[in-house]
Amino acid sequence: MAERVYFDNNATTRPLDEVVAAMLPFLREEYANPSSVHQFGQSVHHCIEVAREQLAALLNATPREIIFTSGGTESINLAIRGMLATRPEKRQFITSAVEHSSVKRLADALEEEGYRVDRIGVDREGRLDYDELADRIGADTALVSLMWANNETGVLFDVERIAALAQQRGVPLHLDAVQAAGKLPMDVSAVRGLPVQLLSIAAHKFHGPKGVGALFVRRRTRIAPLLYGGRQERELRAGTENVAAIVGMGVACEHARTALAGGEYQQVRRLRDRLEAGLLERMSNAHVHGGGAERIINTTNIGFEGLEAEAILLLLSENGICASSGSACSSGSLEPSHVLKAMGIEPSSAHGAVRFSLSRFNTEAEVDHVVAVLPGLLERLTALSHA
Ligand code: PLP
């Protein structure tokens, strides 16, 4: 057993050795600016274009539709602000009540700037209210932005249904695919692919480096840049490229594509299911949030009734086990996650919600270790809290 069990892969993943190896030359000898006209610069430029092809292949897009950014948050901000800027007469923005803070807080800012923001609700399992979405889309809708996979629960939205609806109503759609990319097959191709205009991804969620992401911008979709400066990235993202990170992201895409094609991810699902079943069997106060919905293969969000997630996470950490919670500690009181709140989860279960997110680097032995250790830790915690 490794000293550390890492079950926090929705926060970030371990970069593949191949990714790190591919990046190193660009941190050392291949340092030329890819915009320079000399051969040194142009050979670096070529490597960015190879990475663009690797990214496009993962999404079944064309390379011209890929814009490199500094990560998921920037892609999301570019997509949303970039689209709204080209449609200033439309004043309604539609999203959901369970988005990652990069969309949620931007939506709050847009509201302050005068936009009407509609946050579509979810049911108890975290599934989107598709009827409400259909009702809300109207002549004033500038953009619909929804997540593909939820970072806290792993619940998947039915993106085909969403995209079909948006297309039917002639409204542009942005998908936050940060937790989905590299973990499930994606096809945004023009002919039979998902009819989405904008889609955000981040490399570090699928074994690539941090601080690099991409925005898919469908051909003929017009958006405005956030940054003005050089002419990089078809003038949609000015600034000298983070070449090493972009190259690393390309390699991570190649590996994700192979792993997806080879069914390697089914192994992750088996481990997640084993962890879930093991914990539920041993603990009567445990409940899986979103367990009744379609979920991404690697995530489980388990509420331990009557306990505090922070205390559980500390105990786990002391025992070398890394997990997360959606709760944020604000002014001394623990606020349950907005995601679980929107699902209508009772505070007693939401406060004790722990997210375990796995990857292909995890093993059955690690799962069995956590299943063996956690019940005892929680018994101690329960005894302490009743003392
Ligand atoms: N969207 C989702 C669903 C996420 O889980 C995250 C990161 O956790 C982001 C966006 C933001 O990505 P980044 O941290 O790479 O900016």
Side-chain angles (χ1 to χ4, degrees):
M1 174 77 50
E3 262 174 45
R4 183 196 295 132
V5 175
Y6 188 75
F7 282 176
D8 198 15
N9 287 278
N10 285 9
T12 200
T13 55
R14 175 178 147 189
L16 289 162
D17 290 342
E18 294 87 340
V19 165
V20 177
M23 290 171 71
L24 285 177
F26 298 91
L27 298 170
R28 291 184 178 135
E29 57 272 20
E30 301 293 332
Y31 56 81
N33 189 318
S35 296
S36 296
V37 294
H38 44 71
Q39 249 185 9
F40 188 21
Q42 286 310 293
S43 77
V44 172
H45 181 259
H46 171 74
C47 297
I48 292 186
E49 294 316 307
V50 170
R52 202 183 305 282
E53 280 167 22
Q54 290 167 320
L55 238 96
L58 183 67
L59 305 178
N60 209 6
T62 61
R64 268 184 67 77
E65 294 172 311
I66 303 298
I67 304 295
F68 288 117
T69 67
S70 68
T73 302
E74 188 190 332
S75 294
I76 287 165
N77 277 262
L78 174 60
I80 297 175
R81 286 226 182 257
M83 175 56 76
L84 296 185
T86 63
R87 323 183 81 209
E89 70 291 354
K90 309 270 183 199
R91 303 303 296 169
Q92 183 205 19
F93 174 66
I94 299 181
T95 185
S96 84
V98 295
E99 298 294 311
H100 181 265
S101 50
S102 49
V103 173
K104 182 177 183 280
R105 300 194 63 191
L106 176 54
D108 295 343
L110 292 172
E111 203 163 38
E112 284 189 11
E113 291 165 26
Y115 276 92
R116 184 178 134 212
V117 176
D118 284 304
R119 299 169 182 84
I120 309 300
V122 295
D123 69 10
R124 227 188 130 70
E125 298 296 341
R127 291 175 292 230
L128 193 72
D129 185 338
Y130 299 96
D131 293 335
E132 189 189 354
L133 175 64
D135 283 348
R136 293 293 169 98
I137 297 178
D140 201 32
T141 309
L143 178 66
V144 174
S145 178
L146 291 165
M147 65 203 317
W148 191 322
N150 188 280
N151 46 300
E152 288 186 29
T153 59
V155 172
L156 295 165
F157 282 169
D158 184 345
V159 290
E160 295 192 351
R161 188 168 170 185
I162 293 166
L165 180 65
Q167 187 181 38
Q168 193 191 357
R169 303 285 186 86
V171 170
L173 171 66
H174 164 247
L175 289 178
D176 169 2
V178 169
Q179 289 293 350
K183 297 181 199 159
L184 49 79
M186 280 185 188
D187 180 358
V188 296
S189 63
V191 186
R192 272 190 299 275
L194 197 66
V196 55
Q197 282 68 45
L198 301 157
L199 182 138
S200 294
I201 74 175
H204 70 110
K205 306 291 189 186
F206 56 96
H207 307 293
K210 294 167 189 64
V212 64
L215 179 65
F216 160 79
V217 183
R218 185 175 297 288
R219 208 167 146 246
R220 286 201 271 273
T221 298
R222 228 164 48 82
I223 60 166
L226 290 180
L227 306 175
Y228 290 86
R231 298 191 182 283
Q232 293 91 350
E233 299 299 304
R234 297 187 20 244
E235 299 193 28
L236 285 176
R237 208 288 183 168
T240 303
E241 298 88 340
N242 185 352
V243 181
I246 289 172
V247 168
M249 183 175 190
V251 173
C253 286
E254 274 293 303
H255 279 266
R257 206 157 61 91
T258 315
L260 281 169
E264 200 179 299
Y265 284 86
Q266 294 316 318
Q267 170 64 9
V268 180
R269 181 200 295 273
R270 272 194 291 278
L271 291 180
R272 190 271 312 268
D273 291 349
R274 186 181 176 93
L275 175 69
E276 228 166 49
L279 290 178
L280 290 193
E281 197 186 295
R282 282 166 185 75
M283 280 177 278
S284 56
N285 66 336
H287 176 81
V288 177
H289 298 136
E294 283 276 326
R295 284 179 301 160
I296 197 99
I297 43 150
N298 76 321
T299 309
T300 181
N301 185 308
I302 304 184
F304 298 99
E305 189 84 33
L307 294 173
E308 287 293 341
E310 306 298 309
I312 301 172
L313 293 177
L314 279 177
L315 269 182
L316 284 173
S317 175
E318 277 172 17
N319 286 271
I321 301 163
C322 305
S324 267
S325 82
S327 317
C329 189
S330 58
S331 62
S333 70
L334 287 173
E335 271 291 306
S337 107
H338 70 283
V339 174
L340 300 180
K341 222 169 166 174
M343 288 163 68
I345 305 296
E346 293 72 20
S348 57
S349 184
H351 276 296
V354 175
R355 176 187 74 185
F356 301 94
S357 47
L358 282 64
S359 84
R360 64 176 120 142
F361 286 119
N362 292 125
T363 62
E364 205 169 283
E366 290 176 330
V367 167
D368 293 347
H369 174 66
V370 172
V371 168
V373 169
L374 190 57
L377 293 179
L378 296 195
E379 254 173 51
R380 259 176 50 207
L381 200 59
T382 309
L384 274 176
S385 59
H386 290 155

